[in-house]
Amino acid sequence: MTDTAWHQAVDRYYEQDFDDDDPQGSIARMRDLLSARPEGDPEALFELAGVHDALGLEDEAIPLYRRAISGGLEGTSGLRASIQLASSLRNLGDSAEAVSILESMPDAGIDEGARQAFLALALHDEGRHGDALRTALLALIPTLDGYRRSLTGYAADLPGSVTTT
């Protein structure tokens, strides 16, 4: 199966086969799909982690995300794996590691807004409320037609560290 065909099959899985009311069945159906990939394939590990994550099984998703990333997952999937790992860590109470991961990431391209949103949540959980609000505002400002200058100034005046993401 080509990479394109495999990714299309994954898309079909989420459209037709994923069922959060049947966690074990959903995982089994994804494992069947992943059998077309080589053992330890980072893309396959990322997809399996995502299924666990979507089912609320973050504790099982985290090691899979870590294996996918350490296995060399690249591109959009690599960036998304880092964002999703950080989100799962935050959900399980490790917001400090989530902040560390999200702050150390490069610009996430089409997912940059998501990276900043999850970073704002993790900063908030860490008690860094000014930094959290600044991060959220700076993510929002480019989408506005007006008020950019004033909101950028207000964001800069918020308490907390002065670094931006």
Side-chain angles (χ1 to χ4, degrees):
M1 180 181 296
T2 67
D3 277 351
T4 302
W6 186 77
H7 286 288
Q8 290 171 343
V10 169
D11 290 344
R12 275 192 308 278
Y13 163 85
Y14 279 106
E15 292 169 7
Q16 300 170 5
D17 296 328
F18 178 80
D19 180 0
D20 53 2
D21 291 328
D22 180 18
Q24 296 309 320
S26 290
I27 292 169
R29 287 186 293 278
M30 177 55 80
R31 285 190 185 280
D32 285 344
L33 181 58
L34 299 181
S35 66
R37 304 293 282 196
E39 180 68 29
D41 176 68
E43 282 282 343
L45 291 168
F46 167 61
E47 293 298 342
L48 186 57
V51 169
H52 282 85
D53 205 353
L55 292 167
L57 304 170
E58 291 96 340
D59 56 333
E60 295 176 39
I62 289 170
L64 294 166
Y65 285 133
R66 291 188 195 280
R67 284 181 51 207
I69 293 165
S70 67
L73 190 63
E74 297 177 331
T76 300
S77 293
L79 294 169
R80 287 180 177 171
S82 293
I83 291 168
Q84 291 170 211
L85 168 61
S87 173
S88 292
L89 288 164
R90 178 192 161 269
N91 286 342
L92 293 181
D94 194 351
S95 55
E97 186 177 359
V99 168
S100 177
I101 290 168
L102 294 166
E103 285 185 333
S104 68
M105 284 180 66
D107 184 294
I110 62 169
D111 292 316
E112 180 59 16
R115 183 191 72 84
Q116 291 183 10
F118 286 112
L119 176 58
L121 289 167
L123 288 166
H124 175 76
D125 288 352
E126 283 294 291
R128 294 172 55 188
H129 305 294
D131 290 332
L133 182 55
R134 179 182 307 100
T135 298
L137 284 172
L138 292 176
L140 174 66
I141 289 168
T143 70
L144 303 175
D145 288 333
Y147 309 103
R148 290 180 183 180
R149 189 173 63 79
S150 59
L151 286 170
T152 300
Y154 293 142
D157 290 341
L158 288 167
S161 63
V162 291
T163 60
T164 60
T165 57

Short mmCIF file of all heavy atoms in Angstrom, two decimals, residues 80-128:
data_model
loop_
_atom_site.label_atom_id
_atom_site.label_comp_id
_atom_site.label_asym_id
_atom_site.label_seq_id
_atom_site.Cartn_x
_atom_site.Cartn_y
_atom_site.Cartn_z
N ARG A 80 2.27 17.59 14.87
CA ARG A 80 1.01 17.24 15.53
C ARG A 80 1.24 16.25 16.67
O ARG A 80 0.58 16.33 17.71
CB ARG A 80 0.02 16.66 14.51
CG ARG A 80 -0.54 17.74 13.62
CD ARG A 80 -1.52 17.23 12.60
NE ARG A 80 -2.05 18.37 11.85
CZ ARG A 80 -2.79 18.27 10.78
NH1 ARG A 80 -3.13 17.08 10.31
NH2 ARG A 80 -3.23 19.35 10.17
N ALA A 81 2.17 15.33 16.50
CA ALA A 81 2.47 14.38 17.58
C ALA A 81 2.97 15.12 18.81
O ALA A 81 2.57 14.79 19.94
CB ALA A 81 3.50 13.35 17.11
N SER A 82 3.80 16.13 18.62
CA SER A 82 4.31 16.90 19.76
C SER A 82 3.18 17.68 20.43
O SER A 82 3.10 17.73 21.66
CB SER A 82 5.42 17.85 19.32
OG SER A 82 6.56 17.10 18.92
N ILE A 83 2.32 18.29 19.63
CA ILE A 83 1.18 19.04 20.19
C ILE A 83 0.26 18.09 20.96
O ILE A 83 -0.16 18.38 22.08
CB ILE A 83 0.40 19.77 19.07
CG1 ILE A 83 1.25 20.91 18.48
CG2 ILE A 83 -0.93 20.31 19.60
CD1 ILE A 83 0.69 21.50 17.19
N GLN A 84 -0.04 16.95 20.35
CA GLN A 84 -0.96 16.00 20.99
C GLN A 84 -0.33 15.37 22.23
O GLN A 84 -1.02 15.13 23.23
CB GLN A 84 -1.40 14.95 19.96
CG GLN A 84 -2.31 15.55 18.90
CD GLN A 84 -2.60 14.66 17.72
OE1 GLN A 84 -2.80 15.16 16.63
NE2 GLN A 84 -2.64 13.36 17.90
N LEU A 85 0.97 15.11 22.20
CA LEU A 85 1.67 14.61 23.39
C LEU A 85 1.55 15.62 24.52
O LEU A 85 1.21 15.27 25.65
CB LEU A 85 3.14 14.33 23.07
CG LEU A 85 4.06 14.07 24.27
CD1 LEU A 85 3.61 12.83 25.04
CD2 LEU A 85 5.50 13.94 23.80
N ALA A 86 1.82 16.88 24.20
CA ALA A 86 1.73 17.93 25.23
C ALA A 86 0.32 18.04 25.78
O ALA A 86 0.13 18.18 27.00
CB ALA A 86 2.20 19.27 24.65
N SER A 87 -0.68 17.96 24.92
CA SER A 87 -2.06 18.03 25.39
C SER A 87 -2.39 16.86 26.32
O SER A 87 -3.02 17.04 27.36
CB SER A 87 -3.01 18.02 24.18
OG SER A 87 -4.35 17.93 24.61
N SER A 88 -1.95 15.67 25.95
CA SER A 88 -2.19 14.49 26.79
C SER A 88 -1.49 14.62 28.13
O SER A 88 -2.07 14.29 29.18
CB SER A 88 -1.72 13.22 26.08
OG SER A 88 -2.53 12.96 24.96
N LEU A 89 -0.26 15.10 28.12
CA LEU A 89 0.47 15.31 29.37
C LEU A 89 -0.27 16.30 30.26
O LEU A 89 -0.42 16.08 31.46
CB LEU A 89 1.89 15.80 29.08
CG LEU A 89 2.84 14.76 28.50
CD1 LEU A 89 4.07 15.44 27.90
CD2 LEU A 89 3.25 13.75 29.57
N ARG A 90 -0.73 17.38 29.66
CA ARG A 90 -1.48 18.38 30.42
C ARG A 90 -2.74 17.76 31.02
O ARG A 90 -3.06 17.98 32.18
CB ARG A 90 -1.85 19.56 29.52
CG ARG A 90 -2.67 20.61 30.21
CD ARG A 90 -3.26 21.62 29.22
NE ARG A 90 -4.35 22.27 29.89
CZ ARG A 90 -5.62 21.86 29.87
NH1 ARG A 90 -5.98 20.81 29.17
NH2 ARG A 90 -6.55 22.51 30.54
N ASN A 91 -3.45 16.98 30.23
CA ASN A 91 -4.68 16.35 30.72
C ASN A 91 -4.43 15.42 31.90
O ASN A 91 -5.31 15.24 32.75
CB ASN A 91 -5.37 15.56 29.60
CG ASN A 91 -6.05 16.46 28.60
OD1 ASN A 91 -6.32 17.63 28.86
ND2 ASN A 91 -6.33 15.92 27.43
N LEU A 92 -3.22 14.86 31.95
CA LEU A 92 -2.89 13.95 33.06
C LEU A 92 -2.14 14.66 34.18
O LEU A 92 -1.63 14.01 35.09
CB LEU A 92 -2.07 12.77 32.53
CG LEU A 92 -2.85 11.82 31.61
CD1 LEU A 92 -1.97 10.66 31.18
CD2 LEU A 92 -4.12 11.31 32.28
N GLY A 93 -2.08 16.00 34.11
CA GLY A 93 -1.52 16.78 35.21
C GLY A 93 -0.07 17.19 35.08
O GLY A 93 0.48 17.78 36.00
N ASP A 94 0.57 16.90 33.96
CA ASP A 94 1.96 17.30 33.78
C ASP A 94 2.04 18.51 32.85
O ASP A 94 2.59 18.46 31.76
CB ASP A 94 2.80 16.15 33.23
CG ASP A 94 4.29 16.40 33.35
OD1 ASP A 94 4.69 17.54 33.68
OD2 ASP A 94 5.07 15.46 33.10
N SER A 95 1.47 19.61 33.33
CA SER A 95 1.45 20.82 32.50
C SER A 95 2.85 21.41 32.33
O SER A 95 3.11 22.06 31.33
CB SER A 95 0.48 21.85 33.08
OG SER A 95 0.79 22.13 34.42
N ALA A 96 3.76 21.16 33.28
CA ALA A 96 5.12 21.69 33.16
C ALA A 96 5.82 21.09 31.94
O ALA A 96 6.45 21.82 31.16
CB ALA A 96 5.92 21.42 34.43
N GLU A 97 5.70 19.78 31.75
CA GLU A 97 6.32 19.17 30.56
C GLU A 97 5.61 19.62 29.30
O GLU A 97 6.23 19.84 28.26
CB GLU A 97 6.36 17.65 30.65
CG GLU A 97 7.13 17.05 29.48
CD GLU A 97 7.30 15.55 29.51
OE1 GLU A 97 6.82 14.89 30.46
OE2 GLU A 97 7.89 15.02 28.54
N ALA A 98 4.29 19.79 29.39
CA ALA A 98 3.54 20.27 28.23
C ALA A 98 4.05 21.64 27.80
O ALA A 98 4.29 21.88 26.61
CB ALA A 98 2.05 20.33 28.55
N VAL A 99 4.24 22.55 28.76
CA VAL A 99 4.77 23.88 28.45
C VAL A 99 6.14 23.76 27.81
O VAL A 99 6.43 24.40 26.79
CB VAL A 99 4.82 24.78 29.72
CG1 VAL A 99 5.64 26.04 29.46
CG2 VAL A 99 3.42 25.13 30.19
N SER A 100 6.99 22.92 28.38
CA SER A 100 8.34 22.75 27.86
C SER A 100 8.33 22.28 26.41
O SER A 100 9.05 22.81 25.56
CB SER A 100 9.11 21.74 28.74
OG SER A 100 10.39 21.50 28.21
N ILE A 101 7.50 21.29 26.11
CA ILE A 101 7.41 20.77 24.74
C ILE A 101 6.90 21.85 23.79
O ILE A 101 7.49 22.10 22.74
CB ILE A 101 6.48 19.54 24.69
CG1 ILE A 101 7.14 18.35 25.39
CG2 ILE A 101 6.10 19.19 23.24
CD1 ILE A 101 6.21 17.18 25.64
N LEU A 102 5.81 22.50 24.16
CA LEU A 102 5.18 23.48 23.27
C LEU A 102 6.03 24.73 23.07
O LEU A 102 6.05 25.29 21.98
CB LEU A 102 3.79 23.83 23.80
CG LEU A 102 2.79 22.66 23.76
CD1 LEU A 102 1.56 22.98 24.60
CD2 LEU A 102 2.41 22.31 22.34
N GLU A 103 6.72 25.16 24.11
CA GLU A 103 7.58 26.34 23.96
C GLU A 103 8.83 26.04 23.14
O GLU A 103 9.37 26.94 22.49
CB GLU A 103 7.99 26.89 25.34
CG GLU A 103 6.90 27.62 26.04
CD GLU A 103 7.32 28.28 27.34
OE1 GLU A 103 8.27 27.80 28.00
OE2 GLU A 103 6.68 29.29 27.70
N SER A 104 9.28 24.79 23.14
CA SER A 104 10.51 24.46 22.41
C SER A 104 10.25 24.09 20.95
O SER A 104 11.20 23.94 20.19
CB SER A 104 11.23 23.30 23.11
OG SER A 104 10.49 22.11 23.01
N MET A 105 8.99 23.98 20.57
CA MET A 105 8.66 23.59 19.20
C MET A 105 8.91 24.74 18.22
O MET A 105 8.75 25.91 18.57
CB MET A 105 7.17 23.23 19.09
CG MET A 105 6.80 21.90 19.65
SD MET A 105 5.01 21.62 19.46
CE MET A 105 4.87 21.53 17.66
N PRO A 106 9.24 24.38 16.98
CA PRO A 106 9.26 25.42 15.94
C PRO A 106 7.83 25.81 15.60
O PRO A 106 6.88 25.18 16.05
CB PRO A 106 9.93 24.70 14.75
CG PRO A 106 9.58 23.25 14.96
CD PRO A 106 9.57 23.05 16.46
N ASP A 107 7.69 26.83 14.78
CA ASP A 107 6.36 27.21 14.30
C ASP A 107 5.70 25.97 13.70
O ASP A 107 6.31 25.24 12.92
CB ASP A 107 6.51 28.30 13.23
CG ASP A 107 5.18 28.81 12.74
OD1 ASP A 107 4.43 28.03 12.11
OD2 ASP A 107 4.87 29.99 12.96
N ALA A 108 4.46 25.72 14.08
CA ALA A 108 3.76 24.49 13.69
C ALA A 108 2.98 24.65 12.39
O ALA A 108 2.10 23.83 12.09
CB ALA A 108 2.85 24.02 14.82
N GLY A 109 3.27 25.67 11.61
CA GLY A 109 2.62 25.84 10.31
C GLY A 109 1.11 25.95 10.45
O GLY A 109 0.62 26.78 11.22
N ILE A 110 0.39 25.10 9.74
CA ILE A 110 -1.08 25.19 9.78
C ILE A 110 -1.64 24.90 11.16
O ILE A 110 -2.77 25.26 11.45
CB ILE A 110 -1.74 24.25 8.74
CG1 ILE A 110 -1.40 22.78 9.01
CG2 ILE A 110 -1.35 24.62 7.33
CD1 ILE A 110 -2.22 21.80 8.20
N ASP A 111 -0.85 24.28 12.02
CA ASP A 111 -1.29 23.96 13.38
C ASP A 111 -0.72 24.92 14.43
O ASP A 111 -0.80 24.63 15.63
CB ASP A 111 -0.91 22.52 13.73
CG ASP A 111 -1.70 21.51 12.91
OD1 ASP A 111 -2.92 21.70 12.76
OD2 ASP A 111 -1.10 20.54 12.43
N GLU A 112 -0.18 26.04 13.99
CA GLU A 112 0.42 26.98 14.95
C GLU A 112 -0.62 27.52 15.93
O GLU A 112 -0.34 27.66 17.12
CB GLU A 112 1.12 28.13 14.22
CG GLU A 112 1.77 29.15 15.14
CD GLU A 112 2.83 28.59 16.08
OE1 GLU A 112 3.32 27.46 15.86
OE2 GLU A 112 3.17 29.29 17.04
N GLY A 113 -1.81 27.81 15.45
CA GLY A 113 -2.86 28.28 16.36
C GLY A 113 -3.19 27.24 17.42
O GLY A 113 -3.39 27.56 18.59
N ALA A 114 -3.22 25.97 17.03
CA ALA A 114 -3.48 24.90 17.98
C ALA A 114 -2.34 24.80 18.99
O ALA A 114 -2.58 24.64 20.20
CB ALA A 114 -3.66 23.57 17.25
N ARG A 115 -1.10 24.91 18.52
CA ARG A 115 0.05 24.86 19.43
C ARG A 115 -0.08 25.97 20.47
O ARG A 115 0.08 25.75 21.67
CB ARG A 115 1.37 25.01 18.68
CG ARG A 115 2.60 24.89 19.62
CD ARG A 115 3.90 25.30 18.93
NE ARG A 115 3.98 26.72 18.72
CZ ARG A 115 4.39 27.61 19.64
NH1 ARG A 115 4.74 27.22 20.85
NH2 ARG A 115 4.44 28.89 19.35
N GLN A 116 -0.40 27.16 20.04
CA GLN A 116 -0.52 28.28 20.96
C GLN A 116 -1.71 28.11 21.91
O GLN A 116 -1.62 28.47 23.09
CB GLN A 116 -0.60 29.59 20.18
CG GLN A 116 0.72 29.93 19.51
CD GLN A 116 0.68 31.26 18.79
OE1 GLN A 116 -0.26 32.04 18.93
NE2 GLN A 116 1.71 31.53 18.01
N ALA A 117 -2.80 27.57 21.41
CA ALA A 117 -3.97 27.36 22.27
C ALA A 117 -3.65 26.36 23.38
O ALA A 117 -3.98 26.58 24.56
CB ALA A 117 -5.16 26.87 21.44
N PHE A 118 -3.00 25.24 23.02
CA PHE A 118 -2.64 24.25 24.04
C PHE A 118 -1.58 24.80 24.99
O PHE A 118 -1.58 24.50 26.18
CB PHE A 118 -2.19 22.94 23.39
CG PHE A 118 -3.33 22.16 22.81
CD1 PHE A 118 -3.46 22.00 21.45
CD2 PHE A 118 -4.30 21.58 23.63
CE1 PHE A 118 -4.51 21.28 20.91
CE2 PHE A 118 -5.36 20.87 23.10
CZ PHE A 118 -5.46 20.72 21.74
N LEU A 119 -0.68 25.64 24.45
CA LEU A 119 0.31 26.27 25.31
C LEU A 119 -0.38 27.20 26.30
O LEU A 119 -0.04 27.22 27.49
CB LEU A 119 1.34 27.04 24.47
CG LEU A 119 2.38 27.84 25.25
CD1 LEU A 119 3.17 26.95 26.21
CD2 LEU A 119 3.32 28.57 24.28
N ALA A 120 -1.35 27.98 25.85
CA ALA A 120 -2.08 28.87 26.76
C ALA A 120 -2.75 28.08 27.87
O ALA A 120 -2.71 28.48 29.05
CB ALA A 120 -3.11 29.70 25.97
N LEU A 121 -3.36 26.96 27.54
CA LEU A 121 -4.00 26.12 28.56
C LEU A 121 -2.97 25.60 29.57
O LEU A 121 -3.20 25.63 30.79
CB LEU A 121 -4.73 24.95 27.91
CG LEU A 121 -6.01 25.29 27.14
CD1 LEU A 121 -6.44 24.11 26.29
CD2 LEU A 121 -7.11 25.71 28.10
N ALA A 122 -1.84 25.12 29.07
CA ALA A 122 -0.81 24.58 29.96
C ALA A 122 -0.21 25.68 30.83
O ALA A 122 0.05 25.46 32.02
CB ALA A 122 0.27 23.87 29.14
N LEU A 123 0.01 26.86 30.26
CA LEU A 123 0.52 27.98 31.06
C LEU A 123 -0.47 28.35 32.16
O LEU A 123 -0.07 28.63 33.30
CB LEU A 123 0.79 29.19 30.15
CG LEU A 123 1.99 29.09 29.22
CD1 LEU A 123 1.94 30.18 28.15
CD2 LEU A 123 3.30 29.17 30.01
N HIS A 124 -1.73 28.36 31.83
CA HIS A 124 -2.76 28.63 32.82
C HIS A 124 -2.71 27.60 33.95
O HIS A 124 -2.75 27.95 35.13
CB HIS A 124 -4.15 28.64 32.17
CG HIS A 124 -5.26 28.80 33.13
ND1 HIS A 124 -5.58 30.00 33.71
CD2 HIS A 124 -6.13 27.89 33.65
CE1 HIS A 124 -6.60 29.83 34.54
NE2 HIS A 124 -6.95 28.55 34.52
N ASP A 125 -2.60 26.33 33.58
CA ASP A 125 -2.52 25.27 34.58
C ASP A 125 -1.28 25.43 35.47
O ASP A 125 -1.30 25.03 36.63
CB ASP A 125 -2.48 23.89 33.92
CG ASP A 125 -3.81 23.48 33.32
OD1 ASP A 125 -4.81 24.20 33.53
OD2 ASP A 125 -3.84 22.45 32.63
N GLU A 126 -0.23 26.00 34.93
CA GLU A 126 1.00 26.24 35.69
C GLU A 126 0.90 27.49 36.56
O GLU A 126 1.85 27.84 37.25
CB GLU A 126 2.19 26.37 34.74
CG GLU A 126 2.68 25.05 34.20
CD GLU A 126 3.27 24.18 35.29
OE1 GLU A 126 4.34 24.50 35.81
OE2 GLU A 126 2.62 23.15 35.62
N GLY A 127 -0.24 28.17 36.51
CA GLY A 127 -0.41 29.39 37.30
C GLY A 127 0.20 30.62 36.66
O GLY A 127 0.27 31.67 37.28
N ARG A 128 0.60 30.50 35.42
CA ARG A 128 1.21 31.62 34.68
C ARG A 128 0.11 32.29 33.85
O ARG A 128 0.10 32.28 32.64
CB ARG A 128 2.35 31.10 33.80
CG ARG A 128 3.52 30.55 34.61
CD ARG A 128 4.56 29.86 33.76
NE ARG A 128 5.06 30.72 32.69
CZ ARG A 128 5.87 30.26 31.71
NH1 ARG A 128 6.25 28.99 31.70
NH2 ARG A 128 6.28 31.08 30.77
#
